[in-house]
Amino acid sequence: MKHILYILSILIITLSACEKEIEVDLPPSTPQLVVEASVNTYSPWLNYVFISNTIDYFKPDLSFNGVKGATVYITPGKIINNDTLFDKANRYTFADLSNLGNIPGLDSIGKSISGMYLNPLFRATANTSYLLEISLADGRVIAARTHIPPIVSIDSMKVRYDGIGETGKKNAYLSFWFNDGPEQNNYRMALRNNPDSVLFGWGNADSYRTFDDEFVNNGVIPLEFLRPFEGGDTLNIYFTSIGRKEFRFWQSFGRAANNGGPFATPGNVKSNIDGVIGSFTGYAVYFKRIIFDE
Amino acid sequence: MKISLKHIFIFLGSFLFVLNASAQKRFTISGYLNDKSTGESLIGATIKVNELKTGTATNSYGYYSLSLPQGNYTLVFSYLGFKTLSVPIILDKNTIINQKMEVQINESKEVVITGEREDKNVKSTGMSRMEITGQQVKNLPVIFGEPDVLKAITLLPGIKSGGEGSTGFYVRGGGPDQNLILMDEAVVYNPSHLFGFLSVFNTDAVKNIDVIKGGMPANYGGRLSSILNVNLREGNNQKYVVNGGVGLIASRLSAEGPIQKGRSSFLVAARRTYVDVLARPFLSDNLKGNSYYFYDINLKMNFNLGQKDKLFFSGYFGRDILNYQSPTNSSFHFDLGWGNSTATLRWNHVFNSKLFCNTSAVYNRYDLYNNLTAGSFGFNIRSGIQDWNVKNDYTWFINDKHQAKFGLNYTFHTFTPGILTGQASSIILDQEISKQYAHELAVYAMDEWRINQRFNLNAGLRAVFYDMVGPYTKKQYNADNLPTGVETSWKTNESIAFYPRLEPRAALTYLINEQSSVKASFTQTYQFIHLATTSGASFPVDLWVPSSQKVKPQLAYQYALGYFRNFDNNKWETSVEVYYKPMYNQIEFKPFSRLFFNQNLEEEMVFGQGLSYGLELFVKKKVGRTTGWIGYTLSKTTRQFDELNGGQAYFFRYDRTHDISVVISHTFNKKWSMNFVFVYGTGNAVTLPIARYAYRVGYNVEQNKPELTFIDVYGKINDYRLPAYHRADISFTYVANKTDKWESNWNFSIYNIYNRANPYFIYFLPDIDKLEVKAYMVYLFPILPSVAWNFKF
């Protein structure tokens, strides 16, 4: 009996789910317009408007399906008598990267990519609203607004060194605290470990967190990283405050980006630009760099 | 018109008065039927009066009562698998006959299918109702050597399985939360262990299983689609018996015996998985801190307190426990535990030979806890549902034409959506989402009326009064899902949402002849509590939520029509049933809803309707060396929600155009028997992406390449069909020893004989090198042999 049980237990342990490749026939889809627009208080590399189209699911193409030939403006708002006014005289034109001349630091970027609209001279400030206007070559017009909230700063940080990791370096556990104000706040944090260049596009970061102050409002909120960093690492933290609609978009984006398996819930992101997929987000950035002990 | 309790009692009173007025003065024969060797009561055994060609059957407590004119009669007691008894009586006064019946020893006993009345299929008003015994479940081919009640019932027509890895079942287009699952009258809110691979019912303790999928009599209610009644054995009141089984992943042990011989008995049954124990030596040091196991315990006691009273106690406690210890971070630890606890105290009282009463007090609870520690963080989150329930049911054997049932059923629900306590650095967390409370009172009356030799009618009415009450505090949220700071509070017992509802029920049988009948039924059902789930399957973190001001009670109507025909002296049963079932106030959740610890859960809900209709064919052979059945269902089930799929109706995920099940049992000789199962079902309807786009774009300046995250765009809901599900299993049972003192058998099963890869889910993976997206189908169980050893002494 013991012998049988032993053999059988091995059988169970080696048993795991199997998988095989299958053919799935999906009908062709109509392309939809996708807009990713960002304005921020910290870096000109994070002010951009990316415009692309969706592609059929099984189309053998994993590139950015950019849309060229669009006219793109971003206008800062001014508050006059409790109304926000966007004056055309103050607007900035964002030009397709492939049409821009040489920009210091961006020399090496492939000019063949279309659909990335930039203006290296544009700067954004906290407590300001921005208007995005896009006119496409086919005549479609898209408009969206965002507001950059006040910057929230990280109050204190702590690093706990505990044990040696797989690469033989110290395990560095990071935690920090910040003071959440009485108003409702939404946060989005991007991390970049051992950066070797500027952060161009939020997608160039390594990891992200999107959260709000649902559980602790108007108090000190602690954040702790469960996975250790390595001794000697340099970590750039972009700790940002964003608006509620923008938060709702990035929250749904996070769920859409990590969606799979048997209990995946099919769903589409909560866009905050009418008529397209995507978001126009204004970021109030608090930047912090840490170098962990060797 | 507002219907009050007073109106209901006036209605019930006048109904019963009319019945009583038609009653005649006669004598009554009544009593209990029991198995002589174990003392177990026999449910659904028949008592026939040869001279009058009339008869009755025992109720779910094994009690019967017959009213006859004075005279000399021969009573014939019969129950499949037991020796038929003829008892001559001279009826000149009310008489009690408590009959003990002996097991019939022959080879076909091992494959006894049910204890049904031979022609009950044709003659009773019951339709859309199926029974299966604990023994039969044990004989079916099994996976990992674990027999399972919920897997077995999905072999019946009209009851569909959610697939492997799911104990959720779907009755005539209803969701898994629309089934009332009762274990000895206690509600089981989450019937699964091991994330849905096995159910909570220990087959050693199960006596029989009764499924009602339509034509629901008025004494049942609370869920839209079905009632699954699992009755546990009472325990042997004649001698001590130990039963056990050793399977691949779990073992079972039960003990039963008399407390006082012939008068009282007990049964204790326990089960535990040991994958964690077996796997431990093989795990690397990294994984040593991880384990998963479940266990459950059933306890039952049964006391005969004289001729008129019986007292039962039934209890269940089960837990699934998962521990996780991060291999890289010693301070990260995670425990998840969940399970049901139930306790039922039941008193049967015979007021007189015509009036039988059952009173039950039931407590049941489902809860989930989750402890997490990580560095200076420590959290504990708890959620669950708890009910206190009192039932008082009467069966009034008025005369040979009328049998009335009436009673009440009161439940007090407590919903705990979430309690969070813990510490994060110096901050103490103590948050609770307001608990919710609700009263649910049902009163019912029904009459089983033999109108004449051809027509039988079962008509009834169930009135339900649901009241969600305080204390409760509701936070108001704005369109951005933010609390506005405004709160509405209700005091203790203050009514928040009151829903009085009437549920008329009727079932009519027309006997064409002794072998065939036509039946029709109408059922109206309401459901006041709902399962919040986004997965479509049952999961430990799923929450039950009450009907409230915003969440209206679910409603379903079901119309069913059937033709029933038996052949060859009732050896073969056949039936054809059609049904039509519209459902209203159905609940779905918006995509990406967060269900767990969500203060504003109702905002995530959308409300719509459902429709299911279908045809069910059933052929069953009940006796002989070869028994079994074939079931076929042709059906269509849709859902329609204004806020989903652009308002267009879409297929229910578990819509199954064709569903076939074949079950064959054959006894070769005293030592060997065989069971074979084949199932086929149209693939599940799933939502697949139709397009994708690159987002959260960045540019890696050093490597000169874009950083892209691809996001899927989903098209119409459930517009794609997974490949069909089909599978054949076979098992052989070998009786190694069989004496009065010691019995043992081996069950050898092969699951999925022809190694069909049945879809569990599909996922997609981009292949960056080839610039392609590929589809992969994950399937769980290939051909899988297993063995189990069962013993009894």
Side-chain angles (χ1 to χ4, degrees), chain B residues 120 157 241 256 375 503 588 682 709:
Chain B
K120 182 166 129 191
V241 179
E256 57 189 295
E503 301 181 332
E588 284 289 346
T682 305
T709 302

Side-chain angles (χ1 to χ4, degrees), chain A residues 176-195:
Chain A
F176 65 76
W177 295 260
F178 64 93
N179 198 1
D180 176 82
E183 65 290 331
Q184 198 279 327
N185 286 302
N186 310 287
Y187 303 101
R188 182 162 166 77
M189 181 169 65
L191 299 177
R192 198 148 176 252
N193 203 359
N194 296 323

Side-chain angles (χ1 to χ4, degrees), chain B residues 452-672:
Chain B
N452 56 36
Q453 289 293 332
R454 295 234 177 262
F455 281 101
N456 286 335
L457 175 71
N458 183 326
L461 185 68
R462 186 178 174 90
V464 193
F465 305 89
Y466 170 90
D467 199 2
M468 180 183 169
V469 295
Y472 182 61
T473 302
K474 187 175 172 57
K475 290 182 177 171
Q476 306 290 338
Y477 281 73
N478 66 16
D480 274 336
N481 200 22
L482 285 174
T484 57
V486 177
E487 290 186 349
T488 316
S489 289
W490 287 267
K491 293 191 204 88
T492 301
N493 258 323
E494 189 181 352
S495 177
I496 299 168
F498 178 61
Y499 295 107
R501 291 290 185 270
L502 283 178
E503 301 181 332
R505 314 278 175 85
L508 182 72
T509 300
Y510 172 71
L511 271 174
I512 299 167
N513 52 41
E514 282 294 305
Q515 288 82 40
S516 59
S517 64
V518 176
K519 302 182 189 185
S521 70
F522 169 75
T523 308
Q524 182 173 341
T525 42
Y526 284 96
Q527 179 167 338
F528 300 91
I529 63 172
H530 323 277
L531 186 67
T533 173
T534 52
S535 60
S538 168
F539 220 55
V541 293
D542 291 345
L543 285 175
W544 285 86
V545 295
S547 288
S548 61
Q549 287 177 341
K550 180 166 180 176
V551 183
K552 303 282 185 282
Q554 298 182 50
L555 161 67
Y557 301 103
Q558 191 183 150
Y559 309 87
L561 183 68
Y563 173 70
F564 296 77
R565 169 89 206 252
N566 288 2
F567 294 93
D568 196 10
N569 201 18
N570 297 321
K571 278 182 187 154
W572 291 81
E573 280 181 3
T574 63
S575 64
V576 183
E577 285 192 39
V578 288
Y579 72 90
Y580 182 82
K581 181 176 161 190
M583 296 166 269
Y584 303 94
N585 301 330
Q586 300 295 287
I587 297 167
E588 284 289 346
F589 284 81
K590 293 174 187 168
F592 302 143
S593 294
R594 191 187 85 203
L595 304 187
F596 202 54
F597 215 80
N598 187 340
Q599 306 255 11
N600 194 22
L601 190 62
E602 289 187 356
E603 196 43 54
E604 307 277 15
M605 296 180 181
V606 288
F607 305 97
Q609 49 199 340
L611 176 65
S612 182
Y613 51 89
L615 167 84
E616 295 165 3
L617 304 177
F618 192 51
V619 178
K620 177 169 164 184
K621 183 169 182 283
K622 294 201 298 184
V623 289
R625 278 168 166 263
T626 307
T627 57
W629 70 80
I630 300 171
Y632 168 73
T633 310
L634 173 70
S635 63
K636 184 177 176 183
T637 304
T638 55
R639 295 282 191 271
Q640 189 272 325
F641 287 76
D642 290 345
E643 290 174 68
L644 299 177
N645 209 38
Q648 285 180 305
Y650 57 88
F651 283 113
F652 183 49
R653 182 181 166 98
Y654 299 97
D655 169 64
R656 208 150 291 176
T657 315
H658 304 285
D659 191 86
I660 300 169
S661 51
V662 178
V663 177
I664 298 169
S665 301
H666 182 77
T667 305
F668 296 99
N669 51 44
K670 284 184 180 173
K671 291 275 183 193
W672 284 95

Side-chain angles (χ1 to χ4, degrees), chain A residues 8 18-20 22 26 35-36 55 57 59-61 108 200 203-204 215 220 224 226 244 255 268 279, chain B residues 248 329 374-377 427 431 480-481 592 689-690 692 695-697 699 704 714 763 771 775 777 779:
Chain A
L8 297 177
C18 326
E19 65 177 37
K20 63 176 188 182
I22 56 163
L26 294 175
V35 173
E36 177 175 358
I55 52 175
Y57 199 77
K59 191 176 171 192
D61 179 0
S108 59
F200 174 30
N204 196 19
F215 295 114
V220 175
E224 180 156 332
L226 299 178
R244 186 65 183 176
R255 286 172 191 166
N268 294 323
S279 163
Chain B
L248 286 193
N329 183 349
S376 61
F377 286 64
I427 297 170
Q431 298 242 351
D480 274 336
N481 200 22
F592 302 143
I690 50 164
R692 66 198 149 81
Y695 210 82
R696 199 171 60 196
V697 176
Y699 203 92
N704 195 19
Y714 286 90
Y763 75 96
L771 297 177
M777 185 182 86
Y779 56 103

Side-chain angles (χ1 to χ4, degrees), chain B residues 669-683:
Chain B
N669 51 44
K670 284 184 180 173
K671 291 275 183 193
W672 284 95
S673 59
M674 182 274 300
N675 279 267
F676 171 83
V677 167
F678 170 76
V679 289
Y680 174 93
T682 305

